[in-house]
Amino acid sequence: MSAASNLQSEDQFLCSICLDVFTDPVSAPCGHNFCKNCIDKHWNIVGRCRCPMCKKVYKTRPELQINTFISEMVAQFRQSTQQKASSSSSSSSEQQAAKPAEVPCDVCTGTKLKALKSCLVCLTSYCETHLEPHLTVSGLKRHQLIHPVENLEDRMCTKHDKPLELFCKTDQTYVCLMCSVLDHKTHEFVPLEEEYEGKKAALGKTEAEIQQMIRKRRLKIQEIKHSVKISKDDADREKAEGVQVFTALKESVDRGLNELMKEIEEKQKTTEKQAEVFIRDLEQEISELMKRSTEVEQLSGSEDHLHLLQNFPSLKAAPPTKDWTEVRVRLPSYRGTVVRTVAQLEKTLGKETKKLFEDELKRVQQYAVDVTLDPDTAHPGLILSYDGKKVNHGDVTKKLPANPERVSKHVIVLGKQSFSSGRFYYEVQVKRKTAWTLGVARESINRKGKIKLRPEDGYWTIWFRKRMEYQGLAGPAVCFSLKSRPEKVGVFVDYEEGLVSFYDVDTAALIYSFTGCSFTERLYPFFCPCNNDGGKNSTPLIICPVNQTA
């Protein structure tokens, strides 16, 4: 047994062809030992019988017999190795069994344990127990071990049956050492490890980019959810306000209707009471007259001369009564009752509407932005203040540098600030001006030729002309009149909603709105103070700070 141990400490059980422990060991006539399958395969490939070790050539293939001594020693070696491996892994539990996503050991019988390494020489994956020979036997130590993988045959060159160890950069494929000196000898090669590092670095960069894209999309999801929340809050607030306003209006209508019915009914009751008094007095007089008529009739039928003469004086005339000739029931006038009630209701509705507009204006004023005029876009005939807040038309057209952004045909100037999302609001003083145009314009408007102020050409504006009154330039224009001339106009834009609204700031009244707009470009505030008109329209347009009241 000691001799066996000594033998087991040496590399005498390894086949020099496969470098693995003998399987069915046979001895050549020269005395060298090989796996029976290995030597047969070797001689079939080489085409002649020559010992791989000593190079002795045999004219005829010798008949090889199993070397029973070596076979027994190999069996002892395998048993000893397995016992050691079994002892070292006796504490292992069933949890080491390979899971569906893990590579199983190719050697295990029964329950397949999880493989720790795969051998590119043996084309076999080993668990901790069956990996032991590759870690202890010097011949097996030379084998190339990698992390466990499936389909090890795919890592071998199908043409030369050698491991794929190189990467051909010319053909962008994986080759073995034999390929590099035969089929790809003029090509550029790098070790798989080098190509691996390069591709790993590229994958790392790709992964970083993907993670960045994921982060951006998660932020976008948060942004969208936040937008939905804002929309829901706005909708809830608007619904609550709508319920409140219409409830108040309904109560006003009900109250007005009740008061109308009460007033009419009271007038009718008064008339009925007056008629009842008249009828009662008339019926009383009729009763007295009927009584006198009976007495007169009885006296006139009497045959007693003295009796008739004695009573005649008291019955010769009708009893005293009221003169009913001019007596009339005073009919009440119901005309105008409904009109007055509706007028009062309209007054109440006007108050509610005004309050509603005031609240709406306060809300849009929360989106106030600081707007200044852009001198690079101003028509040469315009005069801009130093702070960029005022503009009016002068009498002289200045010579200015040719600027592609400058408007050349119309007295227009745009704001410096542009907006491609969200909401914004600003206010412009138009007091004492006889003509003006305000609104927003998209970035790609025609700045050098004649223009038409309409949405299809990129303008969402309203104007005031002394004779033509007010127009919403919607193409065709929409004419309208206002109860009072605005002195300060507020401009509000909701980019996503496609809304542009104009307000009379002092009265908190809505002047005009463009709805259902489709914005795809940046929008710029638009200002046109109109021509000087001989000094009649010299007052400038003034961008005012927004007074956000609570």
Side-chain angles (χ1 to χ4, degrees), residues 413-520:
V413 60
L414 302 179
K416 280 186 178 181
Q417 295 72 22
S418 63
F419 306 89
S420 59
S421 64
R423 302 165 180 169
F424 62 93
Y425 173 86
Y426 59 93
E427 294 178 353
V428 183
Q429 182 176 302
V430 296
K431 185 178 181 180
R432 290 193 295 273
K433 289 195 65 62
T434 59
W436 51 262
T437 305
L438 292 173
V440 293
R442 70 186 179 205
E443 188 172 23
S444 63
I445 58 171
N446 177 19
R447 306 188 185 208
K448 300 304 178 185
K450 193 172 182 179
I451 64 174
K452 291 184 178 180
L453 297 178
R454 55 187 184 181
E456 50 263 45
D457 289 333
Y459 302 90
W460 292 266
T461 59
I462 63 170
W463 75 10
F464 167 70
R465 301 293 185 269
K466 190 171 183 180
R467 293 182 179 178
M468 291 185 290
E469 296 298 324
Y470 298 91
Q471 288 187 359
L473 305 180
V478 178
C479 299
F480 53 90
S481 59
L482 302 175
K483 292 182 179 179
S484 60
R485 182 178 296 183
E487 295 186 353
K488 189 184 295 183
V489 175
V491 183
F492 172 70
V493 177
D494 188 328
Y495 194 98
E496 283 75 20
E497 185 70 18
L499 173 69
V500 182
S501 295
F502 301 85
Y503 295 88
D504 182 340
V505 177
D506 296 321
T507 62
L510 178 65
I511 298 175
Y512 186 78
S513 285
F514 292 90
T515 59
C517 308
S518 178
F519 301 131
T520 58

Side-chain angles (χ1 to χ4, degrees), residues 156-175:
M156 301 297 291
C157 176
T158 56
K159 187 172 184 180
H160 303 107
D161 200 25
K162 298 290 184 182
L164 299 173
E165 301 181 71
L166 300 174
F167 181 75
C168 177
K169 298 180 75 68
T170 305
D171 290 344
Q172 293 292 299
T173 188
Y174 313 101
V175 297

Side-chain angles (χ1 to χ4, degrees), residues 194-479:
E194 182 177 332
E195 185 67 17
Y196 163 84
E197 293 298 334
K199 290 295 191 292
K200 186 175 181 181
L203 287 175
K205 183 178 179 181
T206 301
E207 174 65 11
E209 293 174 352
I210 291 173
Q211 290 300 322
Q212 179 65 14
M213 293 171 68
I214 291 172
R215 284 192 293 271
K216 287 183 178 180
R217 278 150 182 78
R218 284 175 176 168
L219 289 174
K220 180 57 69 174
I221 289 174
Q222 293 178 1
E223 177 185 328
I224 293 172
K225 287 183 177 179
H226 182 64
S227 298
V228 171
K229 183 180 182 302
I230 291 176
S231 176
K232 186 178 184 304
D233 292 342
D234 289 346
D236 291 343
R237 182 176 61 250
E238 201 70 15
K239 287 192 292 185
E241 185 173 296
V243 169
Q244 180 181 355
V245 169
F246 279 91
T247 299
L249 291 177
K250 183 176 180 300
E251 290 175 352
S252 296
V253 171
D254 292 341
R255 185 167 54 252
L257 179 60
N258 291 334
E259 291 175 355
L260 172 65
M261 295 296 101
K262 183 178 179 181
E263 180 180 353
I264 294 174
E265 289 172 358
E266 286 180 351
K267 287 184 177 180
Q268 176 63 18
K269 286 180 179 179
T270 300
T271 301
E272 290 176 354
K273 287 180 179 179
Q274 185 184 39
E276 288 176 358
V277 171
F278 290 162
I279 291 171
R280 185 177 64 250
D281 292 347
L282 285 168
E283 288 178 344
Q284 180 66 34
E285 289 187 1
I286 289 172
S287 178
E288 293 294 331
L289 290 172
M290 290 181 67
K291 181 179 179 182
R292 178 61 59 86
S293 174
T294 301
E295 292 176 348
V296 170
E297 183 180 358
Q298 290 177 352
L299 183 62
S300 63
S302 175
E303 298 295 334
D304 187 344
H305 301 149
L306 179 63
H307 176 72
L308 187 148
L309 293 173
Q310 289 176 338
N311 290 283
F312 176 78
S314 60
L315 297 177
K316 68 178 181 179
T321 58
K322 183 178 179 179
D323 184 5
W324 293 92
T325 305
E326 301 299 328
V327 174
R328 298 286 189 276
V329 174
R330 293 192 300 275
L331 297 179
S333 175
Y334 300 109
R335 189 179 304 278
T337 305
V338 176
V339 174
R340 288 193 300 275
T341 303
V342 172
Q344 182 61 40
L345 182 61
E346 184 179 7
K347 184 177 180 181
T348 303
L349 179 60
K351 291 180 179 179
E352 292 292 335
T353 303
K354 187 175 187 300
K355 182 178 181 301
L356 191 63
F357 281 138
E358 288 174 350
D359 293 341
E360 174 66 18
L361 182 59
K362 289 176 183 178
R363 279 201 295 270
V364 301
Q365 284 178 332
Q366 296 176 5
Y367 300 98
V369 294
D370 184 19
V371 173
T372 52
L373 304 170
D374 185 358
D376 292 337
T377 66
H379 181 273
L382 294 178
I383 301 173
L384 274 64
S385 64
Y386 180 77
D387 61 0
K389 297 294 185 180
K390 301 178 183 179
V391 58
N392 65 290
H393 179 242
D395 294 322
V396 179
T397 300
K398 302 181 290 296
K399 291 184 178 181
L400 299 174
N403 189 328
E405 297 179 353
R406 191 179 307 284
V407 180
S408 60
K409 293 290 184 182
H410 303 270
V411 288
I412 293 171
V413 60
L414 302 179
K416 280 186 178 181
Q417 295 72 22
S418 63
F419 306 89
S420 59
S421 64
R423 302 165 180 169
F424 62 93
Y425 173 86
Y426 59 93
E427 294 178 353
V428 183
Q429 182 176 302
V430 296
K431 185 178 181 180
R432 290 193 295 273
K433 289 195 65 62
T434 59
W436 51 262
T437 305
L438 292 173
V440 293
R442 70 186 179 205
E443 188 172 23
S444 63
I445 58 171
N446 177 19
R447 306 188 185 208
K448 300 304 178 185
K450 193 172 182 179
I451 64 174
K452 291 184 178 180
L453 297 178
R454 55 187 184 181
E456 50 263 45
D457 289 333
Y459 302 90
W460 292 266
T461 59
I462 63 170
W463 75 10
F464 167 70
R465 301 293 185 269
K466 190 171 183 180
R467 293 182 179 178
M468 291 185 290
E469 296 298 324
Y470 298 91
Q471 288 187 359
L473 305 180
V478 178
C479 299

